[in-house]
Amino acid sequence: VPNYTMTLSNGRLYTKMGTPITNRAGLEREDHSSELVCLDLARGEGKLIWKVQAAADNDTGWAFEGSPVVSGSRVYVALRKSRPQTQCNVACYDAETGRLIWNRKIAALIGNLDERYNYTSHHLLTLAENTLFYSTDAGAIAAIEAREGLIRWVATYESRPPRNPEILN
């Protein structure tokens, strides 16, 4: 199970909340929540400032991936959608209000996971020199311009699908 860090910036704590499952089993009926939250540590003793759901506008199946990255007045986070086709996005939110600034599709994955099982993935996002670097763990690494979310480049590599639980022993 992936473990995530939290991000502290200007007296605020930003973190991913909810299930670590990012690809639900096909017959799973339970809704798996995925939220990004901002807490006031400097003045509010952990008071919730804002909360954003990964599944916006009834577009279910989205999950936040990994820890958010904060720079200035912006919060960046990776997202993954499992159906009908696996898709990887990066989104930018206003650090003060949680308002969505942009959301960019980075990659769509070819091939499907075994729908009998829930899976967790571990996508990584980092920021350097006004560029977000996104490692999908699924065959793509991307560089994204942080201000507008423009894709600078995407490098692909052959990835291995996750092993089924039946063969892990």
Side-chain angles (χ1 to χ4, degrees):
V1 173
N3 293 300
Y4 303 102
T5 61
M6 298 172 277
T7 302
L8 184 62
S9 178
N10 296 322
R12 291 183 171 188
L13 179 74
Y14 301 87
T15 189
K16 171 199 182 309
M17 301 289 289
T19 180
I21 295 169
T22 54
N23 193 81
R24 247 184 353 189
L27 296 177
E28 180 100 20
R29 300 230 185 265
E30 182 181 339
D31 186 28
H32 293 242
S33 69
S34 182
E35 302 168 335
L36 184 64
V37 299
C38 173
L39 305 176
D40 186 350
L41 298 185
R43 294 175 303 280
E45 297 180 356
K47 178 184 173 189
L48 178 67
I49 296 174
W50 54 259
K51 174 172 57 173
V52 176
Q53 298 286 332
D57 301 324
N58 295 322
D59 188 7
T60 60
W62 285 99
F64 286 115
E65 279 276 4
S67 304
V69 174
V70 179
S71 180
S73 64
R74 297 194 169 196
V75 178
Y76 304 96
V77 66
L79 292 126
R80 177 186 172 112
K81 183 175 185 171
S82 56
R83 289 190 183 66
Q85 180 181 28
T86 301
Q87 181 176 318
C88 304
N89 286 25
V90 173
C92 173
Y93 294 90
D94 182 278
E96 191 69 27
T97 66
R99 177 185 59 84
L100 180 66
I101 297 171
W102 54 258
N103 184 342
R104 298 289 181 261
K105 179 179 180 179
I106 305 302
L109 309 181
I110 298 172
N112 293 318
L113 296 174
D114 188 333
E115 288 193 10
R116 294 178 294 166
Y117 305 104
N118 287 325
Y119 288 96
T120 58
S121 50
H122 197 64
H123 295 198
L124 302 173
L125 187 66
T126 194
L127 175 69
E129 299 177 5
N130 298 315
T131 302
L132 292 157
F133 295 93
Y134 179 34
S135 175
T136 67
D137 93 351
I141 299 173
I144 304 127
E145 185 274 328
R147 177 109 185 112
E148 301 295 325
L150 303 173
I151 298 173
R152 291 189 172 160
W153 53 260
V154 176
T156 59
Y157 60 91
E158 186 174 339
S159 81
R160 286 189 327 228
R163 294 182 295 171
N164 287 337
E166 296 166 343
I167 60 173
L168 290 178
N169 296 330

